[in-house]
Structure formats: structure tokens, C-alpha cells
Amino acid sequence: MFEKILIANRGEIALRIHRACREMGIRTVAVHSTADADAMHVRLADESVCIGPPPAKDSYLNIPAILTAASITGADAIHPGIGFMSENAAFAEMVEQHGFAFIGPTPEHIRLMGDKVTAKKTVQALGMPTVPGSDGALQSLDDAIKTAARIGYPVLIKAAAGGGGKGMKVADDAAGIEEAYTLARGEARAAFGNDEVYIEKYLQRPRHIEVQLLGDTHGNAVYFGERDCSIQRRHQKVIEEAPSPGLNGSEREEIGLLAADVIRRIGYRGVGTIEFLYENGKFYFIEMNTRLQIEHTISEMITGIDLVREQIRVAAGLPISYQQSEIAFNGHAIECRINAENPETFLPSPGTIVGYHPPGGLDVRVDSALYDGYRVPSNYDSMIAKLIVHGATRNECLLRLRRALEEFVIGGINTTLPLHRRLVAQPDFINGDYDIHWLEGFLERK
Ligand code: MV4
């Protein structure tokens, strides 16, 4: 097992990884920008190294600085966390070339799944249901027109290098296809330096359901159930829950077994998530994330398994600690992402925290790097805390969540706590009756 891990990240996820390391007897190295000198992840780590000025491109994305920090502290592995370097195949390659273990999949798997066209082809060949569309990348506008006519409108043009909604354009009918094709390629070229696009039937009211997976280097792969991440705004998730209120037990098992089978057959190492759209009782693969996800916590709450611990174990070449039959699903969990933002305009609200009081009690978990007097910098993502609540049933979970949201005090800045308090009182949310467009509709109506 590793003796020392460098955590190439900040905030609550750096803390989350530090906690798993501590419990495994592994020493930790924090890296930080000058804006984060007083951050909790720096305070808790065994050692820390300043890797640059506040802009992420000069610090948390500064590959030579991160590798140098790992080298001078004698770390044997690097955990990239979430965002930043976590899905950068070139970084994973450099980490390995410098003699460190990368706590994540192989660079080849990151690359394979990072290209949405090769990802779709790969999983489709292994029996995964995908959205009807082009066979690979579009070759021309003419190809787009012909494929759209074959699959039927509306259609969606997506960037091969995309994800997160960039370079995505809907065409409602044949009159809109040229514009959608041209705009999607232009956006893709500007955002990713790659204008390859593909086309799919546009699903109008799906749920976003993702399966949590783990594979090891001994030919094993398991799933940890699914999460429903449909409550989102502008491709930013706001609330996630596990299990999905939209699935029944046999659908859950079928999609979980299929997803685990796919990652076993490609020899995938690490944690990962396969994302589906779910509409009218059918699943459609959209992409695979080759990293830990923010909302991994709700899968931990319903299984009682530390996913970061498992992630570190498989990166060290150990087998997964559990057989699929030993992974039991217990009750319900919901996560609220709390951002330092105005809850109505969503404008960022950096500043100093005064009067911090997190909720507690049975089955209430707060993953956050906040403390009283902490100054939330303006340079990074605005998520400052995750409130994760578990209950024996969905109803118990909701009652407990409402109570915990009432208790939570984060003073001195604006946060999205008031939005969460409103959301958990909405009948549609209480009934589990929502799709990927529900939150944006709710915010418009209000
Ligand atoms: C789709 C879709 C409808 N039909 N694909 C958005 C980002 C990327 N992860 C895939 N996305 C979508 N792909 C087809 N064929 C609708 C979306 C989509 C979406 C998906 C998941 C969560 C939120 C979303 C918000 C808008 C659109």
C-alpha cells in the first residue's frame, strides 16, 4: 500500500480524500495556491507545498509544480480529486512516467472515454443501449441531414470532445439542421480545439441516471447502485439522490449488472460512472466519467462503503474488498450542493464566513472545508459544502433533510441554502416527479 499520497486538489474533496488516507494509515501532502494558504485541506494534511498564485492555471493545473511537489515530499502516489487534473490523460501519463502511481484509471481509459464518439462505440459493441444516431462522427453537413432524416427529429448535435453541455445544439426539424451543425462545430472548435461532432435523437424529458462503478486489476468489477442527478441548472447538479425514485428494483439490477460487465470487459481500473438518460422505461448510455464524482457520497451512504478507500486500494493493485453479493443497498440518501452564490441570481458570493454552524444528528453528513472566519476565495468553484442525509426510507430521508437544512447556518456570505429549503418543500420533488428540465422550469415559474 502507498505510504504517502499527494492530493492535487482543494476544498471539500481534498479533505474527503485526506480522511480516507488517514483511516488507511497513509500520510498526506496537500498542495495549495497562495489564495488557499489558510485552507482546511492544508491545515489537516501532514505536509503542504505552495504550488503557485491564485489562478488555477498557475497552481492546481500547473503540472510541473505538482510533480515537483510530489518529488520533494517523497509521495508515492497522486490523487487528482475531481475537476482540475482528474480527467487529463496526459497528466496521468506524466504522473506514471515520473514514477508515481496515478489514483485513477489508465491514461488509455481516460482517453477512450474522454472522446464521446469512441466511448459510445466501445460500450455499444459490448451490448450497452445507446441513443439512436450517427455511426461515429459526422463526415459532413450532408451526413448530418441524412442521419437526421433516418432517426427522425428533433435531433441533437454533440461535440466528440464535449461533455457538460458545451458544443451541443438541438435541431427541431430539417430547416434547423444546417445552423445546429455549424454552431455545434464552431463551439466545439472554440472550446476544445476539436470540431468533431456526432448526432443523436433528442430525448425531450429524460431523467439523468448514473451508475457508480469500481474495477480492479484482477478482472473484477462491481456496481454501487445508481444516482438520480436530474435536479440541475445549466449542467450544474444541485440535488442528487440514491436510489432514483424513477426506477424499480429489476431496472436497477439490470442496468447495474450491465454497466459493471462493460467495465470488467474493458479491464477498467478505478472508480467510474456510466451516465444514462432514462425515458419511457428505457436507458440510453450518454457518457462515462473516469473519476470520482462529487455525489459519490450518496452511494456511500446507501452501501456503507468508503469509495475513496476502494479507489486507493485498486490503484495500489489490490483487489476490490467486496463481491457484488456483499454490496447491500440500505435506505435512501440525498445530497444538497451548497454554493457561495446568491440563491436567486446565482451570482458568486465570495467573502468571510461568520457564524458557521453545520447540522448534525443521526445519518447527517456534511462534507465541507469551511470553518468560522474562513474566507471563500473568488478564484474557484463556488461549491462550499455538501449536505448528505440518509434515511431508512425516502420519506424519512426527506424529513431529516428538511430538519438539517433548517439547522444549517452559514453566515457572512450568500449561499444557496434558501433555495434548497424551497426545493425540498416542492410537491414534485417530494413525489420524485422530475426530469432534467424540472429545476430550470421551477426557477422560471417562481
Ligand atoms: C442528451 C439530451 C437529450 N438527448 N442527449 C447534456 C450534457 C451531456 N452530458 C449530455 N447532455 C444531454 N444529452 C440526447 N440524445 C439531453 C442532455 C441534457 C442533459 C443531460 C443530463 C443532465 C442535464 C442535461 C441538461 C440538458 C441537456
mmCIF file of all heavy atoms in Angstrom, residues 108-153:
data_model
loop_
_atom_site.group_PDB
_atom_site.id
_atom_site.type_symbol
_atom_site.label_atom_id
_atom_site.label_comp_id
_atom_site.label_asym_id
_atom_site.label_seq_id
_atom_site.Cartn_x
_atom_site.Cartn_y
_atom_site.Cartn_z
ATOM 1 N N GLU A 108 -5.006 5.429 -21.018
ATOM 2 C CA GLU A 108 -5.733 4.911 -22.192
ATOM 3 C C GLU A 108 -7.240 4.927 -21.948
ATOM 4 O O GLU A 108 -8.017 5.295 -22.834
ATOM 5 C CB GLU A 108 -5.283 3.479 -22.523
ATOM 6 C CG GLU A 108 -3.848 3.373 -23.034
ATOM 7 C CD GLU A 108 -2.767 3.570 -21.967
ATOM 8 O OE1 GLU A 108 -3.038 3.334 -20.753
ATOM 9 O OE2 GLU A 108 -1.645 3.975 -22.330
ATOM 10 N N HIS A 109 -7.663 4.532 -20.759
ATOM 11 C CA HIS A 109 -9.103 4.530 -20.468
ATOM 12 C C HIS A 109 -9.654 5.954 -20.336
ATOM 13 O O HIS A 109 -10.786 6.218 -20.736
ATOM 14 C CB HIS A 109 -9.409 3.707 -19.209
ATOM 15 C CG HIS A 109 -9.420 2.234 -19.471
ATOM 16 N ND1 HIS A 109 -8.792 1.326 -18.645
ATOM 17 C CD2 HIS A 109 -9.979 1.517 -20.475
ATOM 18 C CE1 HIS A 109 -8.973 0.103 -19.147
ATOM 19 N NE2 HIS A 109 -9.686 0.189 -20.251
ATOM 20 N N ILE A 110 -8.850 6.856 -19.776
ATOM 21 C CA ILE A 110 -9.296 8.257 -19.687
ATOM 22 C C ILE A 110 -9.515 8.808 -21.098
ATOM 23 O O ILE A 110 -10.530 9.450 -21.390
ATOM 24 C CB ILE A 110 -8.261 9.122 -18.915
ATOM 25 C CG1 ILE A 110 -8.107 8.628 -17.472
ATOM 26 C CG2 ILE A 110 -8.674 10.606 -18.943
ATOM 27 C CD1 ILE A 110 -6.997 9.336 -16.694
ATOM 28 N N ARG A 111 -8.548 8.508 -21.986
ATOM 29 C CA ARG A 111 -8.624 8.994 -23.360
ATOM 30 C C ARG A 111 -9.806 8.385 -24.110
ATOM 31 O O ARG A 111 -10.562 9.080 -24.788
ATOM 32 C CB ARG A 111 -7.303 8.665 -24.068
ATOM 33 C CG ARG A 111 -6.900 9.665 -25.103
ATOM 34 C CD ARG A 111 -5.436 9.483 -25.517
ATOM 35 N NE ARG A 111 -4.526 10.330 -24.770
ATOM 36 C CZ ARG A 111 -3.394 9.915 -24.214
ATOM 37 N NH1 ARG A 111 -3.028 8.635 -24.288
ATOM 38 N NH2 ARG A 111 -2.609 10.758 -23.571
ATOM 39 N N LEU A 112 -9.976 7.075 -23.960
ATOM 40 C CA LEU A 112 -11.062 6.357 -24.646
ATOM 41 C C LEU A 112 -12.419 6.952 -24.300
ATOM 42 O O LEU A 112 -13.257 7.168 -25.171
ATOM 43 C CB LEU A 112 -11.012 4.876 -24.229
ATOM 44 C CG LEU A 112 -12.112 3.959 -24.756
ATOM 45 C CD1 LEU A 112 -11.863 3.652 -26.232
ATOM 46 C CD2 LEU A 112 -12.168 2.653 -23.964
ATOM 47 N N MET A 113 -12.649 7.225 -23.020
ATOM 48 C CA MET A 113 -13.950 7.724 -22.576
ATOM 49 C C MET A 113 -14.064 9.241 -22.722
ATOM 50 O O MET A 113 -15.169 9.779 -22.765
ATOM 51 C CB MET A 113 -14.213 7.311 -21.128
ATOM 52 C CG MET A 113 -14.347 5.799 -20.966
ATOM 53 S SD MET A 113 -15.674 5.128 -22.010
ATOM 54 C CE MET A 113 -15.400 3.368 -21.788
ATOM 55 N N GLY A 114 -12.922 9.943 -22.787
ATOM 56 C CA GLY A 114 -12.940 11.390 -22.970
ATOM 57 C C GLY A 114 -13.437 11.766 -24.357
ATOM 58 O O GLY A 114 -14.030 12.832 -24.545
ATOM 59 N N ASP A 115 -13.197 10.895 -25.323
ATOM 60 C CA ASP A 115 -13.750 11.099 -26.672
ATOM 61 C C ASP A 115 -15.110 10.414 -26.695
ATOM 62 O O ASP A 115 -15.210 9.189 -26.624
ATOM 63 C CB ASP A 115 -12.802 10.499 -27.719
ATOM 64 C CG ASP A 115 -13.322 10.704 -29.147
ATOM 65 O OD1 ASP A 115 -14.543 10.563 -29.372
ATOM 66 O OD2 ASP A 115 -12.504 11.003 -30.032
ATOM 67 N N LYS A 116 -16.179 11.233 -26.772
ATOM 68 C CA LYS A 116 -17.535 10.694 -26.621
ATOM 69 C C LYS A 116 -17.921 9.763 -27.758
ATOM 70 O O LYS A 116 -18.776 8.891 -27.590
ATOM 71 C CB LYS A 116 -18.548 11.836 -26.488
ATOM 72 C CG LYS A 116 -18.209 12.859 -25.387
ATOM 73 C CD LYS A 116 -17.976 12.227 -24.028
ATOM 74 C CE LYS A 116 -17.314 13.180 -23.057
ATOM 75 N NZ LYS A 116 -16.849 12.540 -21.816
ATOM 76 N N VAL A 117 -17.267 9.946 -28.927
ATOM 77 C CA VAL A 117 -17.561 9.063 -30.069
ATOM 78 C C VAL A 117 -16.945 7.677 -29.838
ATOM 79 O O VAL A 117 -17.619 6.659 -29.999
ATOM 80 C CB VAL A 117 -17.076 9.709 -31.389
ATOM 81 C CG1 VAL A 117 -17.082 8.705 -32.523
ATOM 82 C CG2 VAL A 117 -17.966 10.910 -31.741
ATOM 83 N N THR A 118 -15.689 7.634 -29.420
ATOM 84 C CA THR A 118 -15.072 6.313 -29.176
ATOM 85 C C THR A 118 -15.698 5.642 -27.950
ATOM 86 O O THR A 118 -15.854 4.422 -27.918
ATOM 87 C CB THR A 118 -13.536 6.404 -29.014
ATOM 88 O OG1 THR A 118 -13.230 7.305 -27.947
ATOM 89 C CG2 THR A 118 -12.865 6.881 -30.284
ATOM 90 N N ALA A 119 -16.100 6.448 -26.968
ATOM 91 C CA ALA A 119 -16.758 5.882 -25.775
ATOM 92 C C ALA A 119 -18.053 5.184 -26.171
ATOM 93 O O ALA A 119 -18.315 4.039 -25.786
ATOM 94 C CB ALA A 119 -17.040 6.992 -24.760
ATOM 95 N N LYS A 120 -18.865 5.878 -26.976
ATOM 96 C CA LYS A 120 -20.163 5.325 -27.376
ATOM 97 C C LYS A 120 -19.986 4.051 -28.199
ATOM 98 O O LYS A 120 -20.664 3.046 -27.964
ATOM 99 C CB LYS A 120 -20.944 6.386 -28.159
ATOM 100 C CG LYS A 120 -22.348 5.959 -28.555
ATOM 101 C CD LYS A 120 -23.125 7.098 -29.220
ATOM 102 C CE LYS A 120 -24.525 6.626 -29.634
ATOM 103 N NZ LYS A 120 -25.317 7.705 -30.258
ATOM 104 N N LYS A 121 -19.044 4.088 -29.155
ATOM 105 C CA LYS A 121 -18.777 2.909 -29.991
ATOM 106 C C LYS A 121 -18.344 1.719 -29.143
ATOM 107 O O LYS A 121 -18.773 0.586 -29.354
ATOM 108 C CB LYS A 121 -17.662 3.222 -31.001
ATOM 109 C CG LYS A 121 -18.160 3.969 -32.211
ATOM 110 C CD LYS A 121 -17.101 3.935 -33.320
ATOM 111 C CE LYS A 121 -17.700 4.422 -34.634
ATOM 112 N NZ LYS A 121 -16.689 4.652 -35.665
ATOM 113 N N THR A 122 -17.477 1.999 -28.159
ATOM 114 C CA THR A 122 -16.940 0.934 -27.313
ATOM 115 C C THR A 122 -18.042 0.255 -26.513
ATOM 116 O O THR A 122 -18.146 -0.969 -26.497
ATOM 117 C CB THR A 122 -15.871 1.521 -26.352
ATOM 118 O OG1 THR A 122 -14.855 2.134 -27.136
ATOM 119 C CG2 THR A 122 -15.274 0.447 -25.457
ATOM 120 N N VAL A 123 -18.880 1.054 -25.845
ATOM 121 C CA VAL A 123 -19.898 0.442 -24.973
ATOM 122 C C VAL A 123 -21.021 -0.200 -25.799
ATOM 123 O O VAL A 123 -21.571 -1.233 -25.399
ATOM 124 C CB VAL A 123 -20.469 1.425 -23.924
ATOM 125 C CG1 VAL A 123 -19.343 2.006 -23.072
ATOM 126 C CG2 VAL A 123 -21.321 2.515 -24.532
ATOM 127 N N GLN A 124 -21.300 0.395 -26.952
ATOM 128 C CA GLN A 124 -22.341 -0.159 -27.838
ATOM 129 C C GLN A 124 -21.940 -1.562 -28.311
ATOM 130 O O GLN A 124 -22.757 -2.483 -28.309
ATOM 131 C CB GLN A 124 -22.508 0.778 -29.047
ATOM 132 C CG GLN A 124 -23.754 0.539 -29.857
ATOM 133 C CD GLN A 124 -23.968 1.652 -30.875
ATOM 134 O OE1 GLN A 124 -23.015 2.306 -31.332
ATOM 135 N NE2 GLN A 124 -25.203 1.894 -31.229
ATOM 136 N N ALA A 125 -20.660 -1.705 -28.642
ATOM 137 C CA ALA A 125 -20.156 -3.010 -29.091
ATOM 138 C C ALA A 125 -20.249 -4.061 -27.979
ATOM 139 O O ALA A 125 -20.256 -5.258 -28.252
ATOM 140 C CB ALA A 125 -18.711 -2.869 -29.561
ATOM 141 N N LEU A 126 -20.330 -3.604 -26.732
ATOM 142 C CA LEU A 126 -20.409 -4.530 -25.590
ATOM 143 C C LEU A 126 -21.852 -4.701 -25.111
ATOM 144 O O LEU A 126 -22.089 -5.217 -24.016
ATOM 145 C CB LEU A 126 -19.516 -4.029 -24.450
ATOM 146 C CG LEU A 126 -18.013 -3.984 -24.784
ATOM 147 C CD1 LEU A 126 -17.233 -3.304 -23.666
ATOM 148 C CD2 LEU A 126 -17.478 -5.390 -25.026
ATOM 149 N N GLY A 127 -22.802 -4.253 -25.901
ATOM 150 C CA GLY A 127 -24.210 -4.531 -25.593
ATOM 151 C C GLY A 127 -24.935 -3.466 -24.802
ATOM 152 O O GLY A 127 -26.049 -3.681 -24.329
ATOM 153 N N MET A 128 -24.315 -2.299 -24.655
ATOM 154 C CA MET A 128 -24.954 -1.214 -23.915
ATOM 155 C C MET A 128 -25.949 -0.480 -24.813
ATOM 156 O O MET A 128 -25.612 -0.179 -25.956
ATOM 157 C CB MET A 128 -23.837 -0.256 -23.460
ATOM 158 C CG MET A 128 -24.260 0.816 -22.538
ATOM 159 S SD MET A 128 -24.492 0.187 -20.895
ATOM 160 C CE MET A 128 -22.881 0.448 -20.204
ATOM 161 N N PRO A 129 -27.161 -0.179 -24.306
ATOM 162 C CA PRO A 129 -28.096 0.585 -25.126
ATOM 163 C C PRO A 129 -27.624 2.039 -25.269
ATOM 164 O O PRO A 129 -27.214 2.660 -24.295
ATOM 165 C CB PRO A 129 -29.404 0.521 -24.337
ATOM 166 C CG PRO A 129 -28.994 0.270 -22.915
ATOM 167 C CD PRO A 129 -27.708 -0.524 -22.979
ATOM 168 N N THR A 130 -27.650 2.567 -26.502
ATOM 169 C CA THR A 130 -27.221 3.945 -26.756
ATOM 170 C C THR A 130 -28.359 4.681 -27.470
ATOM 171 O O THR A 130 -29.325 4.065 -27.897
ATOM 172 C CB THR A 130 -25.956 3.964 -27.640
ATOM 173 O OG1 THR A 130 -26.240 3.251 -28.841
ATOM 174 C CG2 THR A 130 -24.771 3.313 -26.929
ATOM 175 N N VAL A 131 -28.220 5.998 -27.585
ATOM 176 C CA VAL A 131 -29.254 6.783 -28.253
ATOM 177 C C VAL A 131 -29.104 6.582 -29.770
ATOM 178 O O VAL A 131 -27.985 6.675 -30.286
ATOM 179 C CB VAL A 131 -29.121 8.285 -27.918
ATOM 180 C CG1 VAL A 131 -30.361 9.046 -28.390
ATOM 181 C CG2 VAL A 131 -28.903 8.511 -26.421
ATOM 182 N N PRO A 132 -30.203 6.326 -30.511
ATOM 183 C CA PRO A 132 -30.095 6.210 -31.969
ATOM 184 C C PRO A 132 -29.425 7.449 -32.544
ATOM 185 O O PRO A 132 -29.713 8.570 -32.113
ATOM 186 C CB PRO A 132 -31.562 6.127 -32.422
ATOM 187 C CG PRO A 132 -32.320 5.635 -31.232
ATOM 188 C CD PRO A 132 -31.575 6.159 -30.028
ATOM 189 N N GLY A 133 -28.514 7.243 -33.496
ATOM 190 C CA GLY A 133 -27.797 8.390 -34.052
ATOM 191 C C GLY A 133 -26.775 7.968 -35.084
ATOM 192 O O GLY A 133 -26.829 6.852 -35.599
ATOM 193 N N SER A 134 -25.822 8.888 -35.353
ATOM 194 C CA SER A 134 -24.803 8.613 -36.360
ATOM 195 C C SER A 134 -23.904 7.483 -35.883
ATOM 196 O O SER A 134 -23.691 7.306 -34.681
ATOM 197 C CB SER A 134 -23.969 9.879 -36.622
ATOM 198 O OG SER A 134 -23.498 10.456 -35.416
ATOM 199 N N ASP A 135 -23.350 6.748 -36.850
ATOM 200 C CA ASP A 135 -22.383 5.704 -36.520
ATOM 201 C C ASP A 135 -21.023 6.399 -36.448
ATOM 202 O O ASP A 135 -20.328 6.514 -37.441
ATOM 203 C CB ASP A 135 -22.433 4.625 -37.602
ATOM 204 C CG ASP A 135 -21.460 3.496 -37.301
ATOM 205 O OD1 ASP A 135 -21.152 3.282 -36.115
ATOM 206 O OD2 ASP A 135 -20.992 2.849 -38.253
ATOM 207 N N GLY A 136 -20.690 6.914 -35.283
ATOM 208 C CA GLY A 136 -19.440 7.660 -35.132
ATOM 209 C C GLY A 136 -19.608 9.125 -35.496
ATOM 210 O O GLY A 136 -20.728 9.647 -35.503
ATOM 211 N N ALA A 137 -18.497 9.782 -35.787
ATOM 212 C CA ALA A 137 -18.504 11.223 -36.063
ATOM 213 C C ALA A 137 -19.177 11.508 -37.400
ATOM 214 O O ALA A 137 -19.147 10.682 -38.307
ATOM 215 C CB ALA A 137 -17.077 11.750 -36.059
ATOM 216 N N LEU A 138 -19.772 12.692 -37.507
ATOM 217 C CA LEU A 138 -20.372 13.124 -38.774
ATOM 218 C C LEU A 138 -19.258 13.525 -39.741
ATOM 219 O O LEU A 138 -18.291 14.176 -39.345
ATOM 220 C CB LEU A 138 -21.308 14.307 -38.533
ATOM 221 C CG LEU A 138 -22.626 13.991 -37.810
ATOM 222 C CD1 LEU A 138 -23.357 15.286 -37.443
ATOM 223 C CD2 LEU A 138 -23.526 13.103 -38.663
ATOM 224 N N GLN A 139 -19.443 13.155 -41.016
ATOM 225 C CA GLN A 139 -18.419 13.440 -42.028
ATOM 226 C C GLN A 139 -18.672 14.773 -42.735
ATOM 227 O O GLN A 139 -17.758 15.366 -43.293
ATOM 228 C CB GLN A 139 -18.370 12.310 -43.060
ATOM 229 C CG GLN A 139 -18.024 10.939 -42.457
ATOM 230 C CD GLN A 139 -16.723 10.946 -41.658
ATOM 231 O OE1 GLN A 139 -15.711 11.476 -42.115
ATOM 232 N NE2 GLN A 139 -16.753 10.396 -40.452
ATOM 233 N N SER A 140 -19.941 15.221 -42.722
ATOM 234 C CA SER A 140 -20.302 16.422 -43.499
ATOM 235 C C SER A 140 -21.707 16.862 -43.082
ATOM 236 O O SER A 140 -22.412 16.129 -42.387
ATOM 237 C CB SER A 140 -20.324 16.079 -44.984
ATOM 238 O OG SER A 140 -21.299 15.059 -45.213
ATOM 239 N N LEU A 141 -22.112 18.045 -43.565
ATOM 240 C CA LEU A 141 -23.483 18.504 -43.347
ATOM 241 C C LEU A 141 -24.465 17.519 -43.992
ATOM 242 O O LEU A 141 -25.514 17.193 -43.421
ATOM 243 C CB LEU A 141 -23.665 19.912 -43.931
ATOM 244 C CG LEU A 141 -25.102 20.450 -43.953
ATOM 245 C CD1 LEU A 141 -25.682 20.532 -42.529
ATOM 246 C CD2 LEU A 141 -25.163 21.812 -44.621
ATOM 247 N N ASP A 142 -24.091 17.031 -45.161
ATOM 248 C CA ASP A 142 -24.943 16.076 -45.872
ATOM 249 C C ASP A 142 -25.169 14.812 -45.029
ATOM 250 O O ASP A 142 -26.286 14.295 -44.948
ATOM 251 C CB ASP A 142 -24.274 15.729 -47.209
ATOM 252 C CG ASP A 142 -25.226 14.992 -48.126
ATOM 253 O OD1 ASP A 142 -26.340 15.520 -48.335
ATOM 254 O OD2 ASP A 142 -24.868 13.898 -48.603
ATOM 255 N N ASP A 143 -24.113 14.356 -44.397
ATOM 256 C CA ASP A 143 -24.191 13.195 -43.490
ATOM 257 C C ASP A 143 -25.176 13.505 -42.352
ATOM 258 O O ASP A 143 -26.014 12.669 -41.989
ATOM 259 C CB ASP A 143 -22.776 12.919 -42.955
ATOM 260 C CG ASP A 143 -22.658 11.606 -42.191
ATOM 261 O OD1 ASP A 143 -23.633 10.827 -42.167
ATOM 262 O OD2 ASP A 143 -21.572 11.371 -41.611
ATOM 263 N N ALA A 144 -25.096 14.731 -41.801
ATOM 264 C CA ALA A 144 -25.996 15.143 -40.712
ATOM 265 C C ALA A 144 -27.450 15.127 -41.179
ATOM 266 O O ALA A 144 -28.333 14.611 -40.482
ATOM 267 C CB ALA A 144 -25.615 16.541 -40.212
ATOM 268 N N ILE A 145 -27.693 15.676 -42.364
ATOM 269 C CA ILE A 145 -29.059 15.761 -42.913
ATOM 270 C C ILE A 145 -29.632 14.355 -43.118
ATOM 271 O O ILE A 145 -30.759 14.060 -42.721
ATOM 272 C CB ILE A 145 -29.049 16.564 -44.245
ATOM 273 C CG1 ILE A 145 -28.688 18.032 -43.960
ATOM 274 C CG2 ILE A 145 -30.394 16.457 -44.952
ATOM 275 C CD1 ILE A 145 -28.359 18.862 -45.201
ATOM 276 N N LYS A 146 -28.829 13.479 -43.701
ATOM 277 C CA LYS A 146 -29.293 12.107 -43.985
ATOM 278 C C LYS A 146 -29.545 11.322 -42.697
ATOM 279 O O LYS A 146 -30.542 10.598 -42.573
ATOM 280 C CB LYS A 146 -28.267 11.375 -44.868
ATOM 281 C CG LYS A 146 -28.295 11.899 -46.304
ATOM 282 C CD LYS A 146 -27.463 11.047 -47.250
ATOM 283 C CE LYS A 146 -27.662 11.494 -48.690
ATOM 284 N NZ LYS A 146 -26.389 11.711 -49.387
ATOM 285 N N THR A 147 -28.635 11.488 -41.727
ATOM 286 C CA THR A 147 -28.796 10.742 -40.471
ATOM 287 C C THR A 147 -30.026 11.239 -39.714
ATOM 288 O O THR A 147 -30.796 10.436 -39.168
ATOM 289 C CB THR A 147 -27.534 10.880 -39.592
ATOM 290 O OG1 THR A 147 -26.395 10.589 -40.388
ATOM 291 C CG2 THR A 147 -27.573 9.932 -38.408
ATOM 292 N N ALA A 148 -30.220 12.571 -39.706
ATOM 293 C CA ALA A 148 -31.382 13.145 -39.017
ATOM 294 C C ALA A 148 -32.684 12.637 -39.639
ATOM 295 O O ALA A 148 -33.639 12.304 -38.936
ATOM 296 C CB ALA A 148 -31.319 14.663 -39.041
ATOM 297 N N ALA A 149 -32.707 12.549 -40.965
ATOM 298 C CA ALA A 149 -33.906 12.061 -41.656
ATOM 299 C C ALA A 149 -34.173 10.601 -41.280
ATOM 300 O O ALA A 149 -35.322 10.192 -41.098
ATOM 301 C CB ALA A 149 -33.737 12.213 -43.164
ATOM 302 N N ARG A 150 -33.110 9.836 -41.118
ATOM 303 C CA ARG A 150 -33.248 8.411 -40.768
ATOM 304 C C ARG A 150 -33.758 8.224 -39.330
ATOM 305 O O ARG A 150 -34.675 7.429 -39.098
ATOM 306 C CB ARG A 150 -31.888 7.706 -40.945
ATOM 307 C CG ARG A 150 -31.850 6.261 -40.440
ATOM 308 C CD ARG A 150 -30.551 5.544 -40.859
ATOM 309 N NE ARG A 150 -29.332 6.125 -40.316
ATOM 310 C CZ ARG A 150 -28.898 5.924 -39.069
ATOM 311 N NH1 ARG A 150 -29.586 5.170 -38.227
ATOM 312 N NH2 ARG A 150 -27.773 6.489 -38.669
ATOM 313 N N ILE A 151 -33.190 8.982 -38.366
ATOM 314 C CA ILE A 151 -33.573 8.766 -36.953
ATOM 315 C C ILE A 151 -34.802 9.582 -36.569
ATOM 316 O O ILE A 151 -35.477 9.263 -35.598
ATOM 317 C CB ILE A 151 -32.399 9.052 -35.972
ATOM 318 C CG1 ILE A 151 -31.936 10.513 -36.032
ATOM 319 C CG2 ILE A 151 -31.249 8.089 -36.234
ATOM 320 C CD1 ILE A 151 -30.796 10.861 -35.083
ATOM 321 N N GLY A 152 -35.106 10.628 -37.330
ATOM 322 C CA GLY A 152 -36.280 11.458 -37.038
ATOM 323 C C GLY A 152 -35.949 12.615 -36.115
ATOM 324 O O GLY A 152 -35.110 12.493 -35.219
ATOM 325 N N TYR A 153 -36.635 13.741 -36.312
ATOM 326 C CA TYR A 153 -36.440 14.945 -35.495
ATOM 327 C C TYR A 153 -37.282 14.872 -34.226
ATOM 328 O O TYR A 153 -38.251 14.097 -34.213
ATOM 329 C CB TYR A 153 -36.821 16.181 -36.324
ATOM 330 C CG TYR A 153 -35.796 16.501 -37.383
ATOM 331 C CD1 TYR A 153 -35.913 15.952 -38.660
ATOM 332 C CD2 TYR A 153 -34.717 17.316 -37.091
ATOM 333 C CE1 TYR A 153 -34.958 16.224 -39.632
ATOM 334 C CE2 TYR A 153 -33.768 17.599 -38.063
ATOM 335 C CZ TYR A 153 -33.892 17.053 -39.322
ATOM 336 O OH TYR A 153 -32.952 17.326 -40.283
#
